[in-house]
Amino acid sequence: MTSHQIRKSFLDFFISKGHLIVPSAPLVAKNDPTLMFNNSGMAQFKDFFLGNGTPPSTRIADTQKCLRVSGKHNDLEEVGFDTYHHTMFEMLGNWSFGDYFKKEALQWSWELLTEVFQLPKDRIYVSVFEGDTKDNVPFDQEAFDIWKSILGDDSKIILGNKKDNFWEMGDIGPCGPCSEIHIDLRDQAEVDLISGKELVNKDHPQVVEIWNNVFMQFERKADGSLLPLPSKHVDTGMGFERLCMAIQGKKSNYDTDIFQNTIEVIEKMSNKKYGVNGTLGSDDYVDVAMRVISDHIRAVSFAISDGQLPSNAKAGYVIRRILRRAVRYGYSYLDFREPFMCKLVPVLAEQFKNVFPELQTQVEFVTRVVEEEEKTFLRTLELGLKRLDHIFENNTSKTLDGQTVFELSDTFGFPVDLTALIAKEKGFEIDEEGFKAALAEQKARSRKDATKEAADWIELGEIDGVEFLGYDFSESEAQLVKYRVVKTKTGQEVHLVLDRTPFYAEMGGQVGDQGTISVLDEKHPFNINIKDTKKENDLFIHISTDKNLVDRLESFDGPIAVFAKINTERHENIKKNHTATHLMLAAMREVLGSHIVQRGSYQNDEVTRFDFSHFSKVTDEELTKIEDVVNEKIRENIKLDEKRNVPIDEAMSLGATATFGEKYGDFVRVITFDPKFSVELCGGSHVQGTGEIGLFKFTSEGSVSAGVRRVEAVTGLKALELLRSQTATLDKIKELLKGAIDLPKAIESLIEEKSSLQKKIEALENEKVQALKGDLLKSVKSISGVSVISAKVEVPNADSLKQLAFELKNQLENPFIVLGAIVGDKPQLAVLIDENLVKEKSLHAGNIVKEAAKLMKGGGGGQPHFATAGGSDISGLSDAISKAESFLQ
Ligand code: ATP
Ligand code: MG
């Protein structure tokens, strides 16, 4: 079976068991503060497990793009060295939301693997949770019994501990035992020598876990205790690439048809062969490099097509590091010196066009972004190698200290093994312990930065999803149904959840609302200030930092009647900026071309910021044209056409613009301002008519990263304020220029005048210095063969003082020169001593000025033959000069 057939068989099998198939969520996690990238199939269903929403079906199956290079799951260092861990992989999964449980789940797993896929029964091992007395969770007897009846006996069942066989969503939340399915893919001869059972969970590359069935049946509280969940769920995940390896009879994921296309291209480009360089598992770096590259290009390409561009921070940095790791391996072991990763993007796009079409749609853009990243990194790499050479030259200890190794890996993307290898070639060792310590320190730092400690939700009432009223209302009665306290780095927040709310929660670039939630308690009514509203999965979280709020809430033990009201003035300004963003995108497509795609956006009550794909600077003329189009649309006062719950296919057929990396449901909201101009899928807030925006004005244009530009603009009163303040500046200038008509010309001539005056001043000063020099040369005292000048002079700056000293030197035999001056209210001292004198009399100008400067309350230093000092007490200058001179005696 090809990988395409295998994927399809999986999905078909679960359709036959009554499952609904849903698309993969984007690789980049949205609205989940605990996650940067989706790292398992269940991530997109979290809300259903937490009870914050209702799934479209109680049985769902899919294939999910996962990335495991950050946070709880980080397999990056394994990738390429082993043959079955990837950065990005597909996780096939089936779910039961309070529907079937262990019996069906395990039976179906067995049926699919052994009957549909015909995997050999005698090579399959399963694991069951053994229980944990400390945690008060029992042995999973139920799963054990089910497996025993499926397998006939218990000889292939392994008992597993908490680490391998107990799953938890996080520190708190749903959890439960799991049952893994492992397969032994070794040759019979090896199996005869040692049983597969001995090798399960022992990191053997051909005895691997392929499927994990998680049974959510408990909830972990913040105090560590476990409560049974009212409805139990199944969450399974099977590694697609590993499954293909098993079915296709291969010994490595990379030998399946999933990776073969890419590897072939890499072979051609590098003129090297894969898999002939040593036995599997040996550390032949040509093979490792090809595995790394064929793996990493998938992660990078799909992340970019899902909206995550490489950058210097957070999720973007994760992507950048993956890409750099691949480039580095290509550079070191396949001798690539020019961008090569970008050439693999079209290969992948073609291969996955029917599974994840988003890559094919953006293939050109992704290719260019990857190429630009590669170019930049190849330059950095050269610099890093030079830096290393320099370190080797200046290091006599023959060990590279841990901090340096860490910096190389952190700033230049040099993995330790590479540094070690290069070091070895030069006869150096690296301090691995020191490196590990530096790494651990950084990890601890970033963990500390990231932690927000959340306490349990205090539940006051039940809800099934939150009703959002904000499209129609700015205020409403509601029930406060739960709250929790979150400790942050700066203090404490209280998170409040209402059953219905007019507060918009930050999403799709639009900031969250601020406002007030009034508690309608008859005896003690009070107001809660809401400073932000955020989404956590599908919950709307109203954030308050009011003091004593928790104390006040604690006196309630049921739902609290409240009146919620947003700050409407702020919200109106946000709306203007959001609608302006739509108009701007449409205008850009008219002016710059249809390749303009949104790559990020942000709107608050002050500005709209918009990132988009475009490969050159947007010129001033183009910006003006775009502004013209937008302002024309504003003057047309186009009415808002808002349609909710439009089936996604219908919306797309209207020509709606969707944003890559956004997850859309089956029903979407469509925002139209003139069907011929702007139609967008959007959940944000908009003005009723474009005329409300008043005025649109760009404030900046620049580059964010390769292939992506950013513009910022203001609207409404802000735009007017901007123009006013600019006019005021102009008026002020006019006044200063005494009413000149042509301002730019007047300023130009001022600048010219200034530079010609400056030249004149310099010439005059030079003349003065020359005259001074003449006087000083006349005052030379000859003391036992030494020409001594010691004087207080008048010079315009410290530089002239130095210059003067050196010019004097050139005309004297054996000079000893002490010059003092007052420059801008501060005493300055310079001492120059002939090189011969320095040696003969062991004089040191640096030490001399240091001592002398004390008398003018200052300090300084320099070389033995020349040094300068500054001070703060003018009255001490003469004494300082004498002191310096006295050193000659
Ligand atoms: P392992 O111990 O092999 O790393 P895991 O315990 O981390 O696996 P789960 O979190 O249970 O795996 O994920 C479910 C399935 O996803 C696994 O059974 C495996 O087939 C697959 N899988 C997990 N991590 C990776 C990865 N990095 N690359 C490819 N497949 C993976
Ligand atoms: Mg793992």
Side-chain angles (χ1 to χ4, degrees), residues 470-471 510 566 568-581 603-605 640 673 684-688 692-693 715:
Y471 296 142
Q510 182 181 327
I566 64 168
T568 45
E569 190 181 316
R570 181 171 175 274
H571 187 80
E572 286 303 310
N573 288 330
I574 298 172
K575 271 161 67 174
K576 290 186 180 107
N577 284 332
H578 200 154
T579 303
T581 314
Q603 300 90 27
N604 64 12
D605 54 334
L640 163 69
F673 288 98
S685 312
H686 291 277
V687 298
Q688 289 302 313
E692 287 172 42
I693 300 170
T715 64

PDB file of all heavy atoms in Angstrom, residues 470-471 510 566 568-581 603-605 640 673 684-688 692-693 715:
ATOM      1  N   GLY A 470     -21.409  40.315  21.204  1.00  0.00           N
ATOM      2  CA  GLY A 470     -20.756  41.559  20.799  1.00  0.00           C
ATOM      3  C   GLY A 470     -21.070  42.064  19.402  1.00  0.00           C
ATOM      4  O   GLY A 470     -20.874  43.249  19.126  1.00  0.00           O
ATOM      5  N   TYR A 471     -21.543  41.187  18.492  1.00  0.00           N
ATOM      6  CA  TYR A 471     -21.865  41.691  17.156  1.00  0.00           C
ATOM      7  C   TYR A 471     -23.103  42.587  17.194  1.00  0.00           C
ATOM      8  O   TYR A 471     -23.311  43.406  16.313  1.00  0.00           O
ATOM      9  CB  TYR A 471     -22.121  40.533  16.182  1.00  0.00           C
ATOM     10  CG  TYR A 471     -20.918  39.647  15.940  1.00  0.00           C
ATOM     11  CD1 TYR A 471     -21.063  38.279  15.792  1.00  0.00           C
ATOM     12  CD2 TYR A 471     -19.640  40.192  15.850  1.00  0.00           C
ATOM     13  CE1 TYR A 471     -19.968  37.459  15.566  1.00  0.00           C
ATOM     14  CE2 TYR A 471     -18.543  39.394  15.630  1.00  0.00           C
ATOM     15  CZ  TYR A 471     -18.705  38.019  15.485  1.00  0.00           C
ATOM     16  OH  TYR A 471     -17.627  37.216  15.262  1.00  0.00           O
ATOM     17  N   GLN A 510      -7.505  41.392  16.143  1.00  0.00           N
ATOM     18  CA  GLN A 510      -8.227  42.452  16.866  1.00  0.00           C
ATOM     19  C   GLN A 510      -8.058  42.266  18.369  1.00  0.00           C
ATOM     20  O   GLN A 510      -8.302  41.168  18.890  1.00  0.00           O
ATOM     21  CB  GLN A 510      -9.711  42.418  16.484  1.00  0.00           C
ATOM     22  CG  GLN A 510     -10.534  43.506  17.157  1.00  0.00           C
ATOM     23  CD  GLN A 510     -12.013  43.429  16.789  1.00  0.00           C
ATOM     24  OE1 GLN A 510     -12.387  43.045  15.678  1.00  0.00           O
ATOM     25  NE2 GLN A 510     -12.866  43.794  17.731  1.00  0.00           N
ATOM     26  N   ILE A 566     -19.038  47.029  27.737  1.00  0.00           N
ATOM     27  CA  ILE A 566     -17.694  47.291  27.212  1.00  0.00           C
ATOM     28  C   ILE A 566     -17.444  48.793  27.124  1.00  0.00           C
ATOM     29  O   ILE A 566     -18.383  49.588  27.117  1.00  0.00           O
ATOM     30  CB  ILE A 566     -17.478  46.656  25.819  1.00  0.00           C
ATOM     31  CG1 ILE A 566     -18.415  47.292  24.786  1.00  0.00           C
ATOM     32  CG2 ILE A 566     -17.668  45.157  25.867  1.00  0.00           C
ATOM     33  CD1 ILE A 566     -18.062  46.943  23.354  1.00  0.00           C
ATOM     34  N   THR A 568     -17.212  51.514  25.044  1.00  0.00           N
ATOM     35  CA  THR A 568     -17.666  51.628  23.651  1.00  0.00           C
ATOM     36  C   THR A 568     -16.810  52.589  22.838  1.00  0.00           C
ATOM     37  O   THR A 568     -16.612  52.377  21.652  1.00  0.00           O
ATOM     38  CB  THR A 568     -19.135  52.101  23.572  1.00  0.00           C
ATOM     39  OG1 THR A 568     -19.291  53.170  24.481  1.00  0.00           O
ATOM     40  CG2 THR A 568     -20.092  50.982  23.912  1.00  0.00           C
ATOM     41  N   GLU A 569     -16.302  53.638  23.475  1.00  0.00           N
ATOM     42  CA  GLU A 569     -15.507  54.600  22.709  1.00  0.00           C
ATOM     43  C   GLU A 569     -14.268  53.894  22.134  1.00  0.00           C
ATOM     44  O   GLU A 569     -13.929  54.030  20.964  1.00  0.00           O
ATOM     45  CB  GLU A 569     -15.089  55.741  23.622  1.00  0.00           C
ATOM     46  CG  GLU A 569     -14.483  56.887  22.860  1.00  0.00           C
ATOM     47  CD  GLU A 569     -14.045  57.999  23.807  1.00  0.00           C
ATOM     48  OE1 GLU A 569     -14.819  58.340  24.730  1.00  0.00           O
ATOM     49  OE2 GLU A 569     -12.914  58.492  23.628  1.00  0.00           O
ATOM     50  N   ARG A 570     -13.634  53.098  22.990  1.00  0.00           N
ATOM     51  CA  ARG A 570     -12.453  52.358  22.561  1.00  0.00           C
ATOM     52  C   ARG A 570     -12.832  51.370  21.460  1.00  0.00           C
ATOM     53  O   ARG A 570     -12.154  51.240  20.443  1.00  0.00           O
ATOM     54  CB  ARG A 570     -11.865  51.639  23.772  1.00  0.00           C
ATOM     55  CG  ARG A 570     -10.624  50.837  23.492  1.00  0.00           C
ATOM     56  CD  ARG A 570     -10.007  50.355  24.806  1.00  0.00           C
ATOM     57  NE  ARG A 570      -8.871  49.474  24.570  1.00  0.00           N
ATOM     58  CZ  ARG A 570      -8.958  48.170  24.379  1.00  0.00           C
ATOM     59  NH1 ARG A 570     -10.141  47.576  24.408  1.00  0.00           N
ATOM     60  NH2 ARG A 570      -7.877  47.441  24.154  1.00  0.00           N
ATOM     61  N   HIS A 571     -13.943  50.677  21.692  1.00  0.00           N
ATOM     62  CA  HIS A 571     -14.380  49.660  20.737  1.00  0.00           C
ATOM     63  C   HIS A 571     -14.677  50.279  19.361  1.00  0.00           C
ATOM     64  O   HIS A 571     -14.369  49.687  18.329  1.00  0.00           O
ATOM     65  CB  HIS A 571     -15.616  48.950  21.291  1.00  0.00           C
ATOM     66  CG  HIS A 571     -16.065  47.774  20.491  1.00  0.00           C
ATOM     67  ND1 HIS A 571     -15.466  46.538  20.595  1.00  0.00           N
ATOM     68  CD2 HIS A 571     -17.020  47.650  19.539  1.00  0.00           C
ATOM     69  CE1 HIS A 571     -16.050  45.710  19.747  1.00  0.00           C
ATOM     70  NE2 HIS A 571     -16.989  46.349  19.090  1.00  0.00           N
ATOM     71  N   GLU A 572     -15.279  51.475  19.357  1.00  0.00           N
ATOM     72  CA  GLU A 572     -15.584  52.143  18.080  1.00  0.00           C
ATOM     73  C   GLU A 572     -14.303  52.387  17.288  1.00  0.00           C
ATOM     74  O   GLU A 572     -14.262  52.204  16.077  1.00  0.00           O
ATOM     75  CB  GLU A 572     -16.297  53.485  18.324  1.00  0.00           C
ATOM     76  CG  GLU A 572     -17.762  53.365  18.771  1.00  0.00           C
ATOM     77  CD  GLU A 572     -18.610  52.580  17.796  1.00  0.00           C
ATOM     78  OE1 GLU A 572     -18.562  52.884  16.589  1.00  0.00           O
ATOM     79  OE2 GLU A 572     -19.304  51.632  18.236  1.00  0.00           O
ATOM     80  N   ASN A 573     -13.253  52.812  17.999  1.00  0.00           N
ATOM     81  CA  ASN A 573     -11.988  53.072  17.304  1.00  0.00           C
ATOM     82  C   ASN A 573     -11.368  51.783  16.772  1.00  0.00           C
ATOM     83  O   ASN A 573     -10.776  51.754  15.696  1.00  0.00           O
ATOM     84  CB  ASN A 573     -11.006  53.778  18.237  1.00  0.00           C
ATOM     85  CG  ASN A 573     -11.422  55.214  18.475  1.00  0.00           C
ATOM     86  OD1 ASN A 573     -12.039  55.835  17.607  1.00  0.00           O
ATOM     87  ND2 ASN A 573     -11.133  55.726  19.657  1.00  0.00           N
ATOM     88  N   ILE A 574     -11.524  50.716  17.551  1.00  0.00           N
ATOM     89  CA  ILE A 574     -11.012  49.416  17.091  1.00  0.00           C
ATOM     90  C   ILE A 574     -11.740  49.011  15.809  1.00  0.00           C
ATOM     91  O   ILE A 574     -11.129  48.547  14.839  1.00  0.00           O
ATOM     92  CB  ILE A 574     -11.199  48.340  18.177  1.00  0.00           C
ATOM     93  CG1 ILE A 574     -10.402  48.708  19.434  1.00  0.00           C
ATOM     94  CG2 ILE A 574     -10.808  46.964  17.661  1.00  0.00           C
ATOM     95  CD1 ILE A 574     -10.677  47.817  20.636  1.00  0.00           C
ATOM     96  N   LYS A 575     -13.063  49.208  15.811  1.00  0.00           N
ATOM     97  CA  LYS A 575     -13.868  48.843  14.635  1.00  0.00           C
ATOM     98  C   LYS A 575     -13.374  49.576  13.384  1.00  0.00           C
ATOM     99  O   LYS A 575     -13.217  48.989  12.325  1.00  0.00           O
ATOM    100  CB  LYS A 575     -15.342  49.207  14.883  1.00  0.00           C
ATOM    101  CG  LYS A 575     -16.127  48.094  15.548  1.00  0.00           C
ATOM    102  CD  LYS A 575     -17.410  48.558  16.212  1.00  0.00           C
ATOM    103  CE  LYS A 575     -18.462  49.051  15.278  1.00  0.00           C
ATOM    104  NZ  LYS A 575     -19.734  49.347  16.011  1.00  0.00           N
ATOM    105  N   LYS A 576     -13.156  50.879  13.542  1.00  0.00           N
ATOM    106  CA  LYS A 576     -12.678  51.667  12.395  1.00  0.00           C
ATOM    107  C   LYS A 576     -11.385  51.071  11.847  1.00  0.00           C
ATOM    108  O   LYS A 576     -11.216  50.915  10.640  1.00  0.00           O
ATOM    109  CB  LYS A 576     -12.418  53.113  12.815  1.00  0.00           C
ATOM    110  CG  LYS A 576     -13.699  53.858  13.128  1.00  0.00           C
ATOM    111  CD  LYS A 576     -13.413  55.324  13.398  1.00  0.00           C
ATOM    112  CE  LYS A 576     -14.713  56.042  13.713  1.00  0.00           C
ATOM    113  NZ  LYS A 576     -14.857  56.392  15.126  1.00  0.00           N
ATOM    114  N   ASN A 577     -10.492  50.731  12.761  1.00  0.00           N
ATOM    115  CA  ASN A 577      -9.210  50.187  12.306  1.00  0.00           C
ATOM    116  C   ASN A 577      -9.371  48.820  11.656  1.00  0.00           C
ATOM    117  O   ASN A 577      -8.652  48.476  10.726  1.00  0.00           O
ATOM    118  CB  ASN A 577      -8.221  50.119  13.471  1.00  0.00           C
ATOM    119  CG  ASN A 577      -7.664  51.485  13.801  1.00  0.00           C
ATOM    120  OD1 ASN A 577      -7.582  52.352  12.925  1.00  0.00           O
ATOM    121  ND2 ASN A 577      -7.305  51.697  15.057  1.00  0.00           N
ATOM    122  N   HIS A 578     -10.323  48.043  12.171  1.00  0.00           N
ATOM    123  CA  HIS A 578     -10.490  46.712  11.584  1.00  0.00           C
ATOM    124  C   HIS A 578     -11.094  46.800  10.174  1.00  0.00           C
ATOM    125  O   HIS A 578     -10.598  46.177   9.231  1.00  0.00           O
ATOM    126  CB  HIS A 578     -11.341  45.819  12.496  1.00  0.00           C
ATOM    127  CG  HIS A 578     -11.145  44.360  12.191  1.00  0.00           C
ATOM    128  ND1 HIS A 578     -11.343  43.356  13.100  1.00  0.00           N
ATOM    129  CD2 HIS A 578     -10.745  43.740  11.054  1.00  0.00           C
ATOM    130  CE1 HIS A 578     -11.076  42.181  12.545  1.00  0.00           C
ATOM    131  NE2 HIS A 578     -10.709  42.390  11.298  1.00  0.00           N
ATOM    132  N   THR A 579     -12.122  47.599  10.031  1.00  0.00           N
ATOM    133  CA  THR A 579     -12.710  47.740   8.693  1.00  0.00           C
ATOM    134  C   THR A 579     -11.674  48.330   7.728  1.00  0.00           C
ATOM    135  O   THR A 579     -11.543  47.878   6.585  1.00  0.00           O
ATOM    136  CB  THR A 579     -13.958  48.642   8.740  1.00  0.00           C
ATOM    137  OG1 THR A 579     -14.881  48.072   9.660  1.00  0.00           O
ATOM    138  CG2 THR A 579     -14.607  48.735   7.370  1.00  0.00           C
ATOM    139  N   ALA A 580     -10.912  49.303   8.218  1.00  0.00           N
ATOM    140  CA  ALA A 580      -9.883  49.905   7.372  1.00  0.00           C
ATOM    141  C   ALA A 580      -8.892  48.847   6.890  1.00  0.00           C
ATOM    142  O   ALA A 580      -8.399  48.900   5.762  1.00  0.00           O
ATOM    143  CB  ALA A 580      -9.157  51.010   8.121  1.00  0.00           C
ATOM    144  N   THR A 581      -8.614  47.866   7.744  1.00  0.00           N
ATOM    145  CA  THR A 581      -7.694  46.802   7.354  1.00  0.00           C
ATOM    146  C   THR A 581      -8.249  46.026   6.158  1.00  0.00           C
ATOM    147  O   THR A 581      -7.517  45.697   5.225  1.00  0.00           O
ATOM    148  CB  THR A 581      -7.455  45.834   8.529  1.00  0.00           C
ATOM    149  OG1 THR A 581      -7.208  46.593   9.692  1.00  0.00           O
ATOM    150  CG2 THR A 581      -6.289  44.920   8.263  1.00  0.00           C
ATOM    151  N   GLN A 603      -5.049  45.055  15.271  1.00  0.00           N
ATOM    152  CA  GLN A 603      -5.793  46.313  15.365  1.00  0.00           C
ATOM    153  C   GLN A 603      -6.127  46.605  16.813  1.00  0.00           C
ATOM    154  O   GLN A 603      -6.709  45.764  17.492  1.00  0.00           O
ATOM    155  CB  GLN A 603      -7.139  46.252  14.613  1.00  0.00           C
ATOM    156  CG  GLN A 603      -7.069  45.962  13.143  1.00  0.00           C
ATOM    157  CD  GLN A 603      -7.121  44.471  12.853  1.00  0.00           C
ATOM    158  OE1 GLN A 603      -7.693  43.714  13.635  1.00  0.00           O
ATOM    159  NE2 GLN A 603      -6.540  44.052  11.744  1.00  0.00           N
ATOM    160  N   ASN A 604      -5.744  47.787  17.270  1.00  0.00           N
ATOM    161  CA  ASN A 604      -6.268  48.242  18.552  1.00  0.00           C
ATOM    162  C   ASN A 604      -6.967  49.565  18.328  1.00  0.00           C
ATOM    163  O   ASN A 604      -7.331  49.891  17.200  1.00  0.00           O
ATOM    164  CB  ASN A 604      -5.160  48.306  19.614  1.00  0.00           C
ATOM    165  CG  ASN A 604      -4.093  49.323  19.278  1.00  0.00           C
ATOM    166  OD1 ASN A 604      -4.271  50.139  18.380  1.00  0.00           O
ATOM    167  ND2 ASN A 604      -2.992  49.270  19.994  1.00  0.00           N
ATOM    168  N   ASP A 605      -7.169  50.324  19.387  1.00  0.00           N
ATOM    169  CA  ASP A 605      -7.925  51.564  19.210  1.00  0.00           C
ATOM    170  C   ASP A 605      -7.061  52.689  18.642  1.00  0.00           C
ATOM    171  O   ASP A 605      -7.558  53.773  18.380  1.00  0.00           O
ATOM    172  CB  ASP A 605      -8.573  51.988  20.527  1.00  0.00           C
ATOM    173  CG  ASP A 605      -7.558  52.075  21.648  1.00  0.00           C
ATOM    174  OD1 ASP A 605      -6.526  51.367  21.576  1.00  0.00           O
ATOM    175  OD2 ASP A 605      -7.789  52.843  22.589  1.00  0.00           O
ATOM    176  N   LEU A 640     -22.077  48.009   5.583  1.00  0.00           N
ATOM    177  CA  LEU A 640     -21.597  46.682   5.980  1.00  0.00           C
ATOM    178  C   LEU A 640     -22.615  45.619   5.595  1.00  0.00           C
ATOM    179  O   LEU A 640     -23.807  45.774   5.841  1.00  0.00           O
ATOM    180  CB  LEU A 640     -21.395  46.649   7.505  1.00  0.00           C
ATOM    181  CG  LEU A 640     -21.285  45.269   8.154  1.00  0.00           C
ATOM    182  CD1 LEU A 640     -19.995  44.573   7.757  1.00  0.00           C
ATOM    183  CD2 LEU A 640     -21.347  45.383   9.680  1.00  0.00           C
ATOM    184  N   PHE A 673     -17.762  44.466   2.163  1.00  0.00           N
ATOM    185  CA  PHE A 673     -17.960  45.881   1.868  1.00  0.00           C
ATOM    186  C   PHE A 673     -17.872  45.984   0.359  1.00  0.00           C
ATOM    187  O   PHE A 673     -16.765  45.994  -0.190  1.00  0.00           O
ATOM    188  CB  PHE A 673     -16.882  46.741   2.538  1.00  0.00           C
ATOM    189  CG  PHE A 673     -17.060  46.844   4.037  1.00  0.00           C
ATOM    190  CD1 PHE A 673     -16.333  46.022   4.885  1.00  0.00           C
ATOM    191  CD2 PHE A 673     -17.982  47.734   4.586  1.00  0.00           C
ATOM    192  CE1 PHE A 673     -16.504  46.106   6.261  1.00  0.00           C
ATOM    193  CE2 PHE A 673     -18.155  47.811   5.965  1.00  0.00           C
ATOM    194  CZ  PHE A 673     -17.417  47.003   6.802  1.00  0.00           C
ATOM    195  N   GLY A 684     -14.354  39.490  13.334  1.00  0.00           N
ATOM    196  CA  GLY A 684     -14.093  40.721  14.077  1.00  0.00           C
ATOM    197  C   GLY A 684     -15.217  41.748  14.044  1.00  0.00           C
ATOM    198  O   GLY A 684     -16.310  41.497  13.538  1.00  0.00           O
ATOM    199  N   SER A 685     -14.919  42.924  14.597  1.00  0.00           N
ATOM    200  CA  SER A 685     -15.927  43.982  14.724  1.00  0.00           C
ATOM    201  C   SER A 685     -15.742  45.011  13.624  1.00  0.00           C
ATOM    202  O   SER A 685     -14.613  45.415  13.329  1.00  0.00           O
ATOM    203  CB  SER A 685     -15.779  44.684  16.070  1.00  0.00           C
ATOM    204  OG  SER A 685     -15.673  43.728  17.091  1.00  0.00           O
ATOM    205  N   HIS A 686     -16.876  45.459  13.055  1.00  0.00           N
ATOM    206  CA  HIS A 686     -16.789  46.390  11.926  1.00  0.00           C
ATOM    207  C   HIS A 686     -17.791  47.525  12.032  1.00  0.00           C
ATOM    208  O   HIS A 686     -18.825  47.381  12.672  1.00  0.00           O
ATOM    209  CB  HIS A 686     -16.988  45.634  10.611  1.00  0.00           C
ATOM    210  CG  HIS A 686     -15.831  44.724  10.312  1.00  0.00           C
ATOM    211  ND1 HIS A 686     -14.687  45.187   9.719  1.00  0.00           N
ATOM    212  CD2 HIS A 686     -15.626  43.418  10.591  1.00  0.00           C
ATOM    213  CE1 HIS A 686     -13.822  44.172   9.625  1.00  0.00           C
ATOM    214  NE2 HIS A 686     -14.371  43.095  10.162  1.00  0.00           N
ATOM    215  N   VAL A 687     -17.444  48.622  11.342  1.00  0.00           N
ATOM    216  CA  VAL A 687     -18.350  49.776  11.303  1.00  0.00           C
ATOM    217  C   VAL A 687     -19.562  49.434  10.438  1.00  0.00           C
ATOM    218  O   VAL A 687     -19.509  48.530   9.606  1.00  0.00           O
ATOM    219  CB  VAL A 687     -17.638  51.018  10.721  1.00  0.00           C
ATOM    220  CG1 VAL A 687     -16.471  51.412  11.605  1.00  0.00           C
ATOM    221  CG2 VAL A 687     -17.153  50.762   9.289  1.00  0.00           C
ATOM    222  N   GLN A 688     -20.658  50.189  10.626  1.00  0.00           N
ATOM    223  CA  GLN A 688     -21.868  49.940   9.834  1.00  0.00           C
ATOM    224  C   GLN A 688     -21.707  50.453   8.408  1.00  0.00           C
ATOM    225  O   GLN A 688     -22.242  49.870   7.473  1.00  0.00           O
ATOM    226  CB  GLN A 688     -23.081  50.607  10.487  1.00  0.00           C
ATOM    227  CG  GLN A 688     -23.534  49.919  11.780  1.00  0.00           C
ATOM    228  CD  GLN A 688     -23.885  48.464  11.551  1.00  0.00           C
ATOM    229  OE1 GLN A 688     -24.603  48.127  10.592  1.00  0.00           O
ATOM    230  NE2 GLN A 688     -23.369  47.582  12.403  1.00  0.00           N
ATOM    231  N   GLU A 692     -17.849  56.017   8.463  1.00  0.00           N
ATOM    232  CA  GLU A 692     -17.485  56.215   9.878  1.00  0.00           C
ATOM    233  C   GLU A 692     -15.977  56.309  10.084  1.00  0.00           C
ATOM    234  O   GLU A 692     -15.513  56.890  11.054  1.00  0.00           O
ATOM    235  CB  GLU A 692     -18.008  55.050  10.728  1.00  0.00           C
ATOM    236  CG  GLU A 692     -19.515  55.059  10.939  1.00  0.00           C
ATOM    237  CD  GLU A 692     -19.986  53.779  11.607  1.00  0.00           C
ATOM    238  OE1 GLU A 692     -19.325  53.299  12.547  1.00  0.00           O
ATOM    239  OE2 GLU A 692     -21.023  53.231  11.160  1.00  0.00           O
ATOM    240  N   ILE A 693     -15.234  55.686   9.186  1.00  0.00           N
ATOM    241  CA  ILE A 693     -13.766  55.681   9.353  1.00  0.00           C
ATOM    242  C   ILE A 693     -13.204  57.091   9.199  1.00  0.00           C
ATOM    243  O   ILE A 693     -12.209  57.437   9.823  1.00  0.00           O
ATOM    244  CB  ILE A 693     -13.108  54.726   8.321  1.00  0.00           C
ATOM    245  CG1 ILE A 693     -13.641  53.314   8.521  1.00  0.00           C
ATOM    246  CG2 ILE A 693     -11.587  54.740   8.441  1.00  0.00           C
ATOM    247  CD1 ILE A 693     -13.257  52.340   7.412  1.00  0.00           C
ATOM    248  N   THR A 715      -6.621  55.854  11.534  1.00  0.00           N
ATOM    249  CA  THR A 715      -7.919  56.208  10.951  1.00  0.00           C
ATOM    250  C   THR A 715      -8.612  57.235  11.842  1.00  0.00           C
ATOM    251  O   THR A 715      -8.179  57.501  12.961  1.00  0.00           O
ATOM    252  CB  THR A 715      -8.844  54.976  10.869  1.00  0.00           C
ATOM    253  OG1 THR A 715      -9.105  54.536  12.192  1.00  0.00           O
ATOM    254  CG2 THR A 715      -8.215  53.859  10.064  1.00  0.00           C
TER     255      THR A 715
END
